[in-house]
mmCIF file of all heavy atoms in Angstrom:
data_model
loop_
_atom_site.group_PDB
_atom_site.id
_atom_site.type_symbol
_atom_site.label_atom_id
_atom_site.label_comp_id
_atom_site.label_asym_id
_atom_site.label_seq_id
_atom_site.Cartn_x
_atom_site.Cartn_y
_atom_site.Cartn_z
ATOM 1 N N THR A 956 89.424 51.432 151.974
ATOM 2 C CA THR A 956 89.148 52.735 152.606
ATOM 3 C C THR A 956 90.117 53.012 153.717
ATOM 4 O O THR A 956 90.671 54.160 153.783
ATOM 5 C CB THR A 956 87.684 52.740 153.206
ATOM 6 O OG1 THR A 956 86.766 52.424 152.185
ATOM 7 C CG2 THR A 956 87.391 54.077 153.806
ATOM 8 N N LEU A 957 90.462 51.996 154.527
ATOM 9 C CA LEU A 957 91.378 52.216 155.634
ATOM 10 C C LEU A 957 92.755 52.534 155.129
ATOM 11 O O LEU A 957 93.437 53.338 155.724
ATOM 12 C CB LEU A 957 91.359 50.967 156.547
ATOM 13 C CG LEU A 957 90.106 50.803 157.359
ATOM 14 C CD1 LEU A 957 90.210 49.513 158.161
ATOM 15 C CD2 LEU A 957 89.935 51.955 158.367
ATOM 16 N N GLN A 958 93.155 51.852 154.034
ATOM 17 C CA GLN A 958 94.509 52.110 153.511
ATOM 18 C C GLN A 958 94.667 53.522 153.019
ATOM 19 O O GLN A 958 95.625 54.210 153.171
ATOM 20 C CB GLN A 958 94.831 51.128 152.402
ATOM 21 C CG GLN A 958 95.083 49.707 152.881
ATOM 22 C CD GLN A 958 95.378 48.775 151.719
ATOM 23 O OE1 GLN A 958 95.140 49.128 150.571
ATOM 24 N NE2 GLN A 958 95.779 47.578 152.037
ATOM 25 N N LYS A 959 93.543 54.112 152.482
ATOM 26 C CA LYS A 959 93.628 55.401 151.876
ATOM 27 C C LYS A 959 93.525 56.457 152.991
ATOM 28 O O LYS A 959 94.176 57.479 152.913
ATOM 29 C CB LYS A 959 92.438 55.640 150.894
ATOM 30 C CG LYS A 959 92.691 54.853 149.589
ATOM 31 C CD LYS A 959 91.498 55.148 148.643
ATOM 32 C CE LYS A 959 91.701 54.451 147.327
ATOM 33 N NZ LYS A 959 90.573 54.694 146.358
ATOM 34 N N THR A 960 92.698 56.222 153.926
ATOM 35 C CA THR A 960 92.377 57.303 154.932
ATOM 36 C C THR A 960 93.347 57.318 156.133
ATOM 37 O O THR A 960 93.438 58.344 156.792
ATOM 38 C CB THR A 960 90.999 57.204 155.480
ATOM 39 O OG1 THR A 960 90.841 55.877 156.028
ATOM 40 C CG2 THR A 960 89.978 57.395 154.341
ATOM 41 N N THR A 961 94.055 56.195 156.404
ATOM 42 C CA THR A 961 94.908 56.198 157.564
ATOM 43 C C THR A 961 96.389 56.346 157.182
ATOM 44 O O THR A 961 97.193 56.357 158.055
ATOM 45 C CB THR A 961 94.743 54.865 158.323
ATOM 46 O OG1 THR A 961 95.059 53.738 157.398
ATOM 47 C CG2 THR A 961 93.370 54.678 158.864
ATOM 48 N N LYS A 962 96.669 56.505 155.897
ATOM 49 C CA LYS A 962 97.995 56.712 155.475
ATOM 50 C C LYS A 962 98.473 58.084 155.983
ATOM 51 O O LYS A 962 97.845 59.122 155.662
ATOM 52 C CB LYS A 962 98.100 56.636 153.975
ATOM 53 C CG LYS A 962 99.502 56.839 153.479
ATOM 54 C CD LYS A 962 99.583 56.687 151.896
ATOM 55 C CE LYS A 962 100.951 56.879 151.341
ATOM 56 N NZ LYS A 962 101.052 56.812 149.877
ATOM 57 N N PRO A 963 99.588 58.155 156.777
ATOM 58 C CA PRO A 963 99.931 59.453 157.312
ATOM 59 C C PRO A 963 100.397 60.399 156.219
ATOM 60 O O PRO A 963 101.101 59.998 155.233
ATOM 61 C CB PRO A 963 101.154 59.097 158.184
ATOM 62 C CG PRO A 963 101.658 57.765 157.676
ATOM 63 C CD PRO A 963 100.494 57.097 157.142
ATOM 64 N N PRO A 964 99.988 61.670 156.268
ATOM 65 C CA PRO A 964 100.345 62.682 155.249
ATOM 66 C C PRO A 964 101.885 62.987 155.358
ATOM 67 O O PRO A 964 102.490 62.919 156.443
ATOM 68 C CB PRO A 964 99.539 63.888 155.634
ATOM 69 C CG PRO A 964 99.266 63.738 157.056
ATOM 70 C CD PRO A 964 99.154 62.235 157.339
ATOM 71 N N ARG A 965 102.457 63.304 154.246
ATOM 72 C CA ARG A 965 103.856 63.683 154.205
ATOM 73 C C ARG A 965 103.956 65.198 154.390
ATOM 74 O O ARG A 965 103.257 65.940 153.747
ATOM 75 C CB ARG A 965 104.469 63.267 152.875
ATOM 76 C CG ARG A 965 105.950 63.532 152.749
ATOM 77 C CD ARG A 965 106.548 62.828 151.568
ATOM 78 N NE ARG A 965 106.038 63.409 150.337
ATOM 79 C CZ ARG A 965 106.619 64.358 149.672
ATOM 80 N NH1 ARG A 965 107.750 64.911 150.099
ATOM 81 N NH2 ARG A 965 106.103 64.819 148.515
ATOM 82 N N VAL A 966 104.834 65.600 155.279
ATOM 83 C CA VAL A 966 105.060 67.020 155.554
ATOM 84 C C VAL A 966 105.786 67.684 154.427
ATOM 85 O O VAL A 966 106.919 67.238 154.054
ATOM 86 C CB VAL A 966 105.782 67.256 156.922
ATOM 87 C CG1 VAL A 966 106.086 68.701 157.142
ATOM 88 C CG2 VAL A 966 104.950 66.623 158.051
ATOM 89 N N LEU A 967 105.215 68.705 153.819
ATOM 90 C CA LEU A 967 105.882 69.394 152.665
ATOM 91 C C LEU A 967 106.706 70.626 153.176
ATOM 92 O O LEU A 967 107.706 70.911 152.726
ATOM 93 C CB LEU A 967 104.844 69.956 151.710
ATOM 94 C CG LEU A 967 104.033 68.850 151.025
ATOM 95 C CD1 LEU A 967 103.053 69.455 150.024
ATOM 96 C CD2 LEU A 967 104.961 67.836 150.297
ATOM 97 N N GLY A 968 106.176 71.275 154.279
ATOM 98 C CA GLY A 968 106.827 72.437 154.835
ATOM 99 C C GLY A 968 106.430 72.649 156.237
ATOM 100 O O GLY A 968 105.281 72.455 156.558
ATOM 101 N N GLU A 969 107.382 73.048 157.145
ATOM 102 C CA GLU A 969 107.026 73.255 158.461
ATOM 103 C C GLU A 969 107.942 74.322 159.132
ATOM 104 O O GLU A 969 109.142 74.359 158.889
ATOM 105 C CB GLU A 969 107.154 71.937 159.301
ATOM 106 C CG GLU A 969 106.808 72.031 160.755
ATOM 107 C CD GLU A 969 106.887 70.745 161.502
ATOM 108 O OE1 GLU A 969 107.338 69.735 160.851
ATOM 109 O OE2 GLU A 969 106.551 70.703 162.664
ATOM 110 N N THR A 970 107.322 75.209 159.907
ATOM 111 C CA THR A 970 108.064 76.176 160.738
ATOM 112 C C THR A 970 107.515 75.969 162.178
ATOM 113 O O THR A 970 106.733 75.077 162.445
ATOM 114 C CB THR A 970 107.863 77.631 160.278
ATOM 115 O OG1 THR A 970 106.459 77.952 160.441
ATOM 116 C CG2 THR A 970 108.194 77.774 158.821
ATOM 117 N N ASP A 971 107.947 76.810 163.051
ATOM 118 C CA ASP A 971 107.451 76.715 164.447
ATOM 119 C C ASP A 971 105.951 77.008 164.521
ATOM 120 O O ASP A 971 105.301 76.466 165.380
ATOM 121 C CB ASP A 971 108.203 77.743 165.331
ATOM 122 C CG ASP A 971 109.583 77.301 165.627
ATOM 123 O OD1 ASP A 971 109.950 76.154 165.455
ATOM 124 O OD2 ASP A 971 110.371 78.208 166.045
ATOM 125 N N THR A 972 105.474 77.795 163.562
ATOM 126 C CA THR A 972 104.057 78.212 163.694
ATOM 127 C C THR A 972 103.172 77.753 162.524
ATOM 128 O O THR A 972 101.980 78.015 162.548
ATOM 129 C CB THR A 972 103.925 79.738 163.811
ATOM 130 O OG1 THR A 972 104.482 80.296 162.590
ATOM 131 C CG2 THR A 972 104.708 80.280 164.994
ATOM 132 N N TYR A 973 103.730 76.996 161.570
ATOM 133 C CA TYR A 973 102.947 76.622 160.388
ATOM 134 C C TYR A 973 103.366 75.267 159.830
ATOM 135 O O TYR A 973 104.611 75.005 159.864
ATOM 136 C CB TYR A 973 103.084 77.702 159.309
ATOM 137 C CG TYR A 973 102.402 77.316 157.971
ATOM 138 C CD1 TYR A 973 101.069 77.447 157.871
ATOM 139 C CD2 TYR A 973 103.176 76.880 156.923
ATOM 140 C CE1 TYR A 973 100.432 77.101 156.657
ATOM 141 C CE2 TYR A 973 102.563 76.508 155.726
ATOM 142 C CZ TYR A 973 101.162 76.621 155.608
ATOM 143 O OH TYR A 973 100.588 76.312 154.405
ATOM 144 N N ILE A 974 102.492 74.471 159.396
ATOM 145 C CA ILE A 974 102.805 73.202 158.779
ATOM 146 C C ILE A 974 101.860 72.904 157.652
ATOM 147 O O ILE A 974 100.670 73.294 157.663
ATOM 148 C CB ILE A 974 102.723 72.067 159.804
ATOM 149 C CG1 ILE A 974 103.235 70.771 159.213
ATOM 150 C CG2 ILE A 974 101.299 71.903 160.304
ATOM 151 C CD1 ILE A 974 103.365 69.640 160.223
ATOM 152 N N GLU A 975 102.381 72.337 156.598
ATOM 153 C CA GLU A 975 101.679 71.968 155.397
ATOM 154 C C GLU A 975 101.892 70.451 155.107
ATOM 155 O O GLU A 975 103.046 70.017 155.139
ATOM 156 C CB GLU A 975 102.088 72.772 154.191
ATOM 157 C CG GLU A 975 101.365 72.394 152.914
ATOM 158 C CD GLU A 975 101.740 73.366 151.692
ATOM 159 O OE1 GLU A 975 102.452 74.303 151.944
ATOM 160 O OE2 GLU A 975 101.320 73.012 150.579
ATOM 161 N N ALA A 976 100.807 69.755 154.904
ATOM 162 C CA ALA A 976 100.953 68.336 154.714
ATOM 163 C C ALA A 976 100.447 67.865 153.330
ATOM 164 O O ALA A 976 99.499 68.527 152.742
ATOM 165 C CB ALA A 976 100.164 67.576 155.755
ATOM 166 N N GLU A 977 101.101 66.972 152.664
ATOM 167 C CA GLU A 977 100.688 66.446 151.361
ATOM 168 C C GLU A 977 99.637 65.393 151.574
ATOM 169 O O GLU A 977 99.730 64.536 152.461
ATOM 170 C CB GLU A 977 101.866 65.785 150.591
ATOM 171 C CG GLU A 977 101.542 65.311 149.247
ATOM 172 C CD GLU A 977 102.695 64.622 148.577
ATOM 173 O OE1 GLU A 977 103.291 63.785 149.227
ATOM 174 O OE2 GLU A 977 103.021 65.016 147.421
ATOM 175 N N VAL A 978 98.536 65.517 150.849
ATOM 176 C CA VAL A 978 97.446 64.531 151.009
ATOM 177 C C VAL A 978 97.065 63.870 149.739
ATOM 178 O O VAL A 978 97.411 64.382 148.608
ATOM 179 C CB VAL A 978 96.177 65.269 151.625
ATOM 180 C CG1 VAL A 978 96.450 65.788 152.962
ATOM 181 C CG2 VAL A 978 95.724 66.386 150.672
ATOM 182 N N ALA A 979 96.372 62.775 149.834
ATOM 183 C CA ALA A 979 95.934 62.025 148.608
ATOM 184 C C ALA A 979 94.857 62.821 147.854
ATOM 185 O O ALA A 979 94.122 63.603 148.474
ATOM 186 C CB ALA A 979 95.389 60.663 148.979
ATOM 187 N N LEU A 980 94.764 62.576 146.577
ATOM 188 C CA LEU A 980 93.846 63.368 145.722
ATOM 189 C C LEU A 980 92.371 63.186 146.204
ATOM 190 O O LEU A 980 91.595 64.102 146.286
ATOM 191 C CB LEU A 980 93.953 62.926 144.298
ATOM 192 C CG LEU A 980 92.939 63.554 143.321
ATOM 193 C CD1 LEU A 980 93.265 65.092 143.246
ATOM 194 C CD2 LEU A 980 93.153 62.986 141.873
ATOM 195 N N GLU A 981 91.959 61.915 146.614
ATOM 196 C CA GLU A 981 90.602 61.702 147.071
ATOM 197 C C GLU A 981 90.348 62.495 148.351
ATOM 198 O O GLU A 981 89.192 62.911 148.522
ATOM 199 C CB GLU A 981 90.373 60.272 147.267
ATOM 200 C CG GLU A 981 91.216 59.572 148.335
ATOM 201 C CD GLU A 981 92.505 58.982 147.747
ATOM 202 O OE1 GLU A 981 92.893 59.427 146.613
ATOM 203 O OE2 GLU A 981 93.011 58.052 148.367
ATOM 204 N N ASP A 982 91.309 62.717 149.189
ATOM 205 C CA ASP A 982 91.087 63.444 150.418
ATOM 206 C C ASP A 982 90.838 64.912 150.081
ATOM 207 O O ASP A 982 90.032 65.528 150.776
ATOM 208 C CB ASP A 982 92.272 63.328 151.390
ATOM 209 C CG ASP A 982 92.289 62.014 152.042
ATOM 210 O OD1 ASP A 982 91.187 61.383 152.283
ATOM 211 O OD2 ASP A 982 93.364 61.486 152.294
ATOM 212 N N ILE A 983 91.554 65.447 149.141
ATOM 213 C CA ILE A 983 91.383 66.832 148.716
ATOM 214 C C ILE A 983 89.991 67.002 148.134
ATOM 215 O O ILE A 983 89.283 67.980 148.403
ATOM 216 C CB ILE A 983 92.510 67.257 147.708
ATOM 217 C CG1 ILE A 983 93.847 67.170 148.315
ATOM 218 C CG2 ILE A 983 92.179 68.636 147.142
ATOM 219 C CD1 ILE A 983 95.005 67.488 147.390
ATOM 220 N N VAL A 984 89.560 66.068 147.318
ATOM 221 C CA VAL A 984 88.210 66.109 146.741
ATOM 222 C C VAL A 984 87.125 66.072 147.854
ATOM 223 O O VAL A 984 86.128 66.796 147.806
ATOM 224 C CB VAL A 984 87.984 64.934 145.740
ATOM 225 C CG1 VAL A 984 86.545 64.954 145.245
ATOM 226 C CG2 VAL A 984 88.911 65.104 144.493
ATOM 227 N N GLN A 985 87.324 65.171 148.784
ATOM 228 C CA GLN A 985 86.360 65.089 149.867
ATOM 229 C C GLN A 985 86.249 66.319 150.720
ATOM 230 O O GLN A 985 85.253 66.673 151.280
ATOM 231 C CB GLN A 985 86.685 63.878 150.737
ATOM 232 C CG GLN A 985 86.397 62.519 150.058
ATOM 233 C CD GLN A 985 86.995 61.365 150.816
ATOM 234 O OE1 GLN A 985 87.839 61.603 151.738
ATOM 235 N NE2 GLN A 985 86.573 60.143 150.508
ATOM 236 N N GLY A 986 87.459 66.987 150.882
ATOM 237 C CA GLY A 986 87.460 68.187 151.740
ATOM 238 C C GLY A 986 87.103 69.459 150.986
ATOM 239 O O GLY A 986 86.986 70.479 151.599
ATOM 240 N N SER A 987 87.001 69.404 149.645
ATOM 241 C CA SER A 987 86.763 70.595 148.878
ATOM 242 C C SER A 987 85.439 71.259 149.193
ATOM 243 O O SER A 987 85.255 72.454 149.203
ATOM 244 C CB SER A 987 86.846 70.269 147.400
ATOM 245 O OG SER A 987 85.816 69.334 147.005
ATOM 246 N N GLU A 988 84.380 70.381 149.489
ATOM 247 C CA GLU A 988 83.104 71.005 149.739
ATOM 248 C C GLU A 988 83.138 71.822 151.033
ATOM 249 O O GLU A 988 82.520 72.917 151.108
ATOM 250 C CB GLU A 988 82.040 69.892 149.936
ATOM 251 C CG GLU A 988 81.811 69.092 148.621
ATOM 252 C CD GLU A 988 80.737 67.980 148.817
ATOM 253 O OE1 GLU A 988 80.230 67.962 150.002
ATOM 254 O OE2 GLU A 988 80.515 67.318 147.866
ATOM 255 N N VAL A 989 83.851 71.392 152.037
ATOM 256 C CA VAL A 989 83.966 72.130 153.272
ATOM 257 C C VAL A 989 84.681 73.460 152.985
ATOM 258 O O VAL A 989 84.251 74.530 153.440
ATOM 259 C CB VAL A 989 84.821 71.319 154.279
ATOM 260 C CG1 VAL A 989 84.994 72.174 155.598
ATOM 261 C CG2 VAL A 989 84.076 70.047 154.628
ATOM 262 N N ALA A 990 85.805 73.438 152.230
ATOM 263 C CA ALA A 990 86.521 74.633 151.962
ATOM 264 C C ALA A 990 85.719 75.656 151.193
ATOM 265 O O ALA A 990 85.684 76.837 151.510
ATOM 266 C CB ALA A 990 87.798 74.319 151.201
ATOM 267 N N GLN A 991 84.952 75.161 150.203
ATOM 268 C CA GLN A 991 84.133 76.023 149.365
ATOM 269 C C GLN A 991 83.062 76.716 150.219
ATOM 270 O O GLN A 991 82.763 77.857 150.112
ATOM 271 C CB GLN A 991 83.503 75.315 148.194
ATOM 272 C CG GLN A 991 84.537 74.880 147.180
ATOM 273 C CD GLN A 991 83.946 74.027 146.094
ATOM 274 O OE1 GLN A 991 82.778 73.670 146.120
ATOM 275 N NE2 GLN A 991 84.736 73.625 145.135
ATOM 276 N N GLY A 992 82.426 75.906 151.101
ATOM 277 C CA GLY A 992 81.386 76.433 151.916
ATOM 278 C C GLY A 992 81.868 77.488 152.875
ATOM 279 O O GLY A 992 81.247 78.496 153.124
ATOM 280 N N GLN A 993 83.087 77.344 153.396
ATOM 281 C CA GLN A 993 83.643 78.271 154.328
ATOM 282 C C GLN A 993 84.074 79.578 153.706
ATOM 283 O O GLN A 993 84.082 80.661 154.297
ATOM 284 C CB GLN A 993 84.786 77.613 155.127
ATOM 285 C CG GLN A 993 84.229 76.629 156.137
ATOM 286 C CD GLN A 993 85.359 75.735 156.620
ATOM 287 O OE1 GLN A 993 86.418 75.619 156.008
ATOM 288 N NE2 GLN A 993 85.100 75.002 157.726
ATOM 289 N N GLU A 994 84.376 79.488 152.417
ATOM 290 C CA GLU A 994 84.828 80.699 151.696
ATOM 291 C C GLU A 994 83.703 81.623 151.519
ATOM 292 O O GLU A 994 83.829 82.842 151.271
ATOM 293 C CB GLU A 994 85.460 80.320 150.388
ATOM 294 C CG GLU A 994 86.848 79.735 150.514
ATOM 295 C CD GLU A 994 87.429 79.332 149.191
ATOM 296 O OE1 GLU A 994 86.751 79.458 148.172
ATOM 297 O OE2 GLU A 994 88.578 78.818 149.112
ATOM 298 N N GLN A 995 82.409 81.120 151.595
ATOM 299 C CA GLN A 995 81.277 81.914 151.404
ATOM 300 C C GLN A 995 80.869 82.641 152.712
ATOM 301 O O GLN A 995 80.030 83.489 152.663
ATOM 302 C CB GLN A 995 80.136 81.043 150.957
ATOM 303 C CG GLN A 995 80.346 80.420 149.538
ATOM 304 C CD GLN A 995 79.299 79.375 149.164
ATOM 305 O OE1 GLN A 995 78.333 79.136 149.931
ATOM 306 N NE2 GLN A 995 79.400 78.832 148.026
ATOM 307 N N ILE A 996 81.435 82.279 153.798
ATOM 308 C CA ILE A 996 81.154 82.970 155.031
ATOM 309 C C ILE A 996 81.713 84.352 155.043
ATOM 310 O O ILE A 996 82.874 84.525 154.738
ATOM 311 C CB ILE A 996 81.736 82.150 156.275
ATOM 312 C CG1 ILE A 996 81.087 80.727 156.293
ATOM 313 C CG2 ILE A 996 81.410 82.837 157.574
ATOM 314 C CD1 ILE A 996 81.739 79.807 157.295
ATOM 315 N N THR A 997 80.893 85.309 155.471
ATOM 316 C CA THR A 997 81.408 86.723 155.481
ATOM 317 C C THR A 997 81.622 87.205 156.834
ATOM 318 O O THR A 997 82.481 88.074 157.045
ATOM 319 C CB THR A 997 80.360 87.621 154.783
ATOM 320 O OG1 THR A 997 79.108 87.443 155.485
ATOM 321 C CG2 THR A 997 80.180 87.264 153.289
ATOM 322 N N GLN A 998 80.990 86.632 157.796
ATOM 323 C CA GLN A 998 81.216 87.119 159.196
ATOM 324 C C GLN A 998 80.773 86.029 160.138
ATOM 325 O O GLN A 998 79.661 85.432 159.961
ATOM 326 C CB GLN A 998 80.474 88.394 159.460
ATOM 327 C CG GLN A 998 80.944 89.075 160.700
ATOM 328 C CD GLN A 998 82.320 89.621 160.650
ATOM 329 O OE1 GLN A 998 82.822 89.944 159.579
ATOM 330 N NE2 GLN A 998 82.956 89.799 161.802
ATOM 331 N N THR A 999 81.602 85.698 161.165
ATOM 332 C CA THR A 999 81.215 84.725 162.110
ATOM 333 C C THR A 999 81.464 85.193 163.525
ATOM 334 O O THR A 999 82.304 86.065 163.707
ATOM 335 C CB THR A 999 81.961 83.389 161.880
ATOM 336 O OG1 THR A 999 83.382 83.662 161.924
ATOM 337 C CG2 THR A 999 81.693 82.795 160.527
ATOM 338 N N ASN A 1000 80.823 84.529 164.524
ATOM 339 C CA ASN A 1000 81.060 84.799 165.882
ATOM 340 C C ASN A 1000 81.006 86.244 166.257
ATOM 341 O O ASN A 1000 81.904 86.797 166.877
ATOM 342 C CB ASN A 1000 82.475 84.210 166.257
ATOM 343 C CG ASN A 1000 82.543 82.701 166.091
ATOM 344 O OD1 ASN A 1000 81.934 82.030 166.869
ATOM 345 N ND2 ASN A 1000 83.226 82.270 165.069
#
């Protein structure tokens, strides 16, 4: 678990105001539920 989760992501693209990092497949799967849930939000705050 520690080897998978602590491996630093590789930067795919970066500007002064934006950065994109490459992540392992299992991390994307684990984070997918959060992303799907937030896409259903219509209005916040």
Side-chain angles (χ1 to χ4, degrees):
T956 305
L957 288 175
Q958 286 178 350
K959 287 182 179 179
T960 56
T961 58
K962 183 179 180 181
R965 184 167 66 92
V966 176
L967 297 181
E969 181 178 5
T970 65
D971 286 343
T972 60
Y973 174 77
I974 187 171
E975 178 178 352
E977 183 183 50
V978 294
L980 179 61
E981 60 268 25
D982 286 328
I983 297 176
V984 172
Q985 288 168 345
S987 62
E988 295 180 1
V989 177
Q991 290 173 0
Q993 286 163 343
E994 287 176 0
Q995 296 173 0
I996 299 172
T997 55
Q998 193 68 24
T999 57
N1000 297 288

